[in-house]
């Protein structure tokens, strides 16, 4: 467990007052904060924080101590900038069951119910290799829409069928050139895991990732929510259409910042088995860049 040590506690309480018994934060220390909240703390607070962050007594080679020092601040930012100790209100129901006192939580010490997140309202899915993690991070952390987990802890990111979850209001299904998908997964070392996760008995010599059946399932099988199908290469050009779709699903006044700047694929020069996905790549290339499948209780046709 990562406990407040005595020096940290006295420093924090000199600025923040008595510390709560438990802090629950939002992941990853990525946030937007108004300057008035920053200025609510004196300059000396940030000077002290910098001094602690650059603690010379911690050996640079000691990765664990440095990691925990970084997490110490990650878990505190929301409270420093005026948010309640429990930053995620829907977790408050679990707080009375927690017995650890005077600690900033460390994920392995928290019951699994607190490590889970609410079910998604926006589902973003793909076979992988088409920017899905980037989209999940953007719409969850930047826009503030409740999505499935970017790290796929909820096993929804690459689901081979449209999940039957009442929480889902709409979905994005991202597809792309199958040769680019294969090379992206190969370069990042995800190829074998992806084959085990989504291909299984549907894998064939000419389609080892079972991309065709995955795509067909999402186009055909019954679903209670609309699904926007998006070609990866058109994501940045179709942002207006994507935003209008999401605003229709959630809120017409929802502000949606632009996607992160497009980056060149590092897998462009990754070798590909001869002729693999050659014909299917032509099929995908001829598909529309974007279309929306409406909810259906029966099988639908495939483009």
């Amino acid at each position: 467990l990562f406990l407040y040590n005595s020096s940290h506690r006295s420093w924090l309480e000199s600025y923040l007052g008595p510390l709560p018994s438990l802090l629950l934060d939002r992941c990853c220390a990525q946030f937007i904060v108004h300057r008035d909240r920053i200025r609510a703390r004196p300059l000396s607070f940030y000077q002290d924080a910098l001094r602690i962050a650059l603690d010379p007594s911690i050996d640079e080679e000691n990765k664990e101590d440095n990691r925990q020092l970084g997490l110490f601040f990650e878990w505190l930012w929301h409270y420093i900038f005026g948010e309640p100790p429990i930053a995620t209100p829907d977790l408050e129901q679990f707080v009375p069951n927690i017995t650890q006192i005077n600690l900033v939580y460390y994920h392995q010490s928290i019951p699994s119910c607190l490590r889970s997140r609410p079910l998604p309202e926006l589902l973003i899915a793909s076979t992988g290799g088409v920017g899905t993690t980037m989209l999940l991070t953007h719409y969850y952390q930047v826009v503030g829409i409740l999505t499935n987990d970017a790290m796929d802890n909820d096993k929804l990111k690459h689901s081979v069928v449209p999940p039957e979850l009442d929480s889902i209001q709409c979905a994005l299904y991202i597809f792309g050139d199958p040769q680019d998908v294969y090379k992206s997964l190969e370069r990042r070392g995800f190829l074998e895991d992806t084959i085990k996760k989504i291909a299984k008995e549907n894998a064939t010599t000419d389609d080892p990732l079972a991309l065709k059946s995955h795509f067909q399932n999402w186009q055909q099988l019954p679903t209670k929510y609309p699904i926007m199908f998006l070609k990866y290469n058109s994501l940045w050009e179709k942002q207006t259409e994507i935003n209008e779709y999401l605003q229709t699903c959630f809120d017409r006044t929802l502000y949606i910042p632009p996607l992160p700047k497009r980056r060149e694929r590092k897998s462009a020069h990754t070798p590909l088995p001869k002729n693999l996905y050659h014909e299917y790549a032509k099929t995908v290339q001829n598909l529309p860049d974007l279309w929306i499948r409406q909810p259906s209780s029966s099988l639908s046709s495939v483009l």
Side-chain angles (χ1 to χ4, degrees), residues 146 245 301:
L146 188 59
Y245 171 68
S301 58

Side-chain angles (χ1 to χ4, degrees), residues 23-64:
L23 296 175
L24 288 176
D25 73 314
R26 297 181 178 90
C27 171
C28 309
Q30 298 181 40
F31 52 83
I32 298 173
V33 59
H34 196 281
R35 62 184 178 183
D36 289 348
R37 292 203 180 189
I38 297 174
R39 291 172 173 173
R41 305 294 177 199
L43 177 60
S44 58
F45 172 83
Y46 299 104
Q47 291 172 329
D48 287 346
L50 180 61
R51 174 180 52 78
I52 290 172
L54 299 178
D55 187 347
S57 67
I58 297 180
D59 187 347
E60 288 187 8
E61 299 300 318
N62 190 325
K63 294 183 179 180
E64 181 58 22

Side-chain angles (χ1 to χ4, degrees), residues 32-207:
I32 298 173
V33 59
H34 196 281
R35 62 184 178 183
D36 289 348
R37 292 203 180 189
I38 297 174
R39 291 172 173 173
R41 305 294 177 199
L43 177 60
S44 58
F45 172 83
Y46 299 104
Q47 291 172 329
D48 287 346
L50 180 61
R51 174 180 52 78
I52 290 172
L54 299 178
D55 187 347
S57 67
I58 297 180
D59 187 347
E60 288 187 8
E61 299 300 318
N62 190 325
K63 294 183 179 180
E64 181 58 22
D65 281 359
N66 279 283
R67 185 182 76 89
Q68 289 211 8
L69 182 59
L71 292 175
F72 172 71
F73 283 102
E74 177 180 331
W75 295 328
L76 277 169
W77 286 127
H78 74 285
Y79 191 62
I80 288 171
F81 292 129
E83 293 295 299
I86 310 298
T88 310
D90 56 297
L91 295 181
E92 288 183 346
Q93 59 182 304
F94 299 114
V95 172
N97 298 323
I98 295 178
T99 58
Q100 294 93 333
I101 302 298
N102 298 332
L103 61 90
V104 178
Y105 81 87
Y106 181 46
H107 72 279
Q108 292 181 347
S109 70
I110 293 298
S112 60
C113 60
L114 290 181
R115 296 200 300 270
S116 65
R117 59 196 280 170
L119 294 175
E121 296 177 350
L122 170 62
L123 178 71
I124 304 178
S126 74
T127 57
V130 287
T132 322
T133 302
M134 176 272 294
L135 291 173
L136 285 165
T137 302
H138 179 73
Y139 289 117
Y140 179 60
Q141 296 188 5
V142 178
V143 181
I145 300 175
L146 188 59
T147 67
N148 47 305
D149 183 50
M151 297 296 103
D152 202 29
N153 291 315
D154 52 14
K155 308 302 180 186
L156 296 173
K157 185 178 177 183
H158 305 303
S159 176
V160 297
V161 298
E164 297 181 2
L165 292 176
D166 291 336
S167 65
I168 299 173
Q169 298 186 37
C170 57
L172 298 175
Y173 183 91
I174 316 302
F175 66 97
D177 184 315
Q179 294 181 324
D180 288 341
V181 168
Y182 185 96
K183 290 192 290 184
S184 175
L185 295 171
E186 172 69 44
R187 184 190 70 81
R188 293 178 293 147
F190 295 155
L191 188 63
E192 293 302 319
D193 284 345
T194 303
I195 290 174
K196 293 176 183 178
K197 186 183 295 184
I198 70 172
K200 301 177 183 178
E201 68 275 3
N202 293 316
T204 62
T205 302
D206 64 342
D207 186 7

Side-chain angles (χ1 to χ4, degrees), residues 231-296:
K231 191 178 291 184
Y232 170 76
N233 286 339
S234 68
L235 283 177
W236 287 264
E237 291 74 25
K238 296 295 183 181
Q239 290 187 69
T240 298
E241 290 87 341
I242 299 170
N243 292 353
E244 290 176 351
Y245 171 68
L246 295 177
Q247 287 167 342
T248 300
C249 289
F250 298 104
D251 184 351
R252 283 288 185 184
T253 64
L254 180 67
Y255 172 66
I256 304 178
L259 293 174
K261 186 177 179 180
R262 184 172 184 171
R263 297 184 296 180
E264 181 181 357
R265 277 185 175 269
K266 295 180 180 179
S267 56
H269 303 294
T270 301
L272 184 77
K274 186 176 181 181
N275 294 328
L276 183 64
Y277 288 122
H278 179 71
E279 293 301 320
Y280 188 46
K282 295 179 182 178
T283 301
V284 171
Q285 184 177 9
N286 291 328
L287 289 174
D289 290 337
L290 177 155
W291 72 92
I292 297 175
R293 180 194 169 192
Q294 297 300 332
S296 174

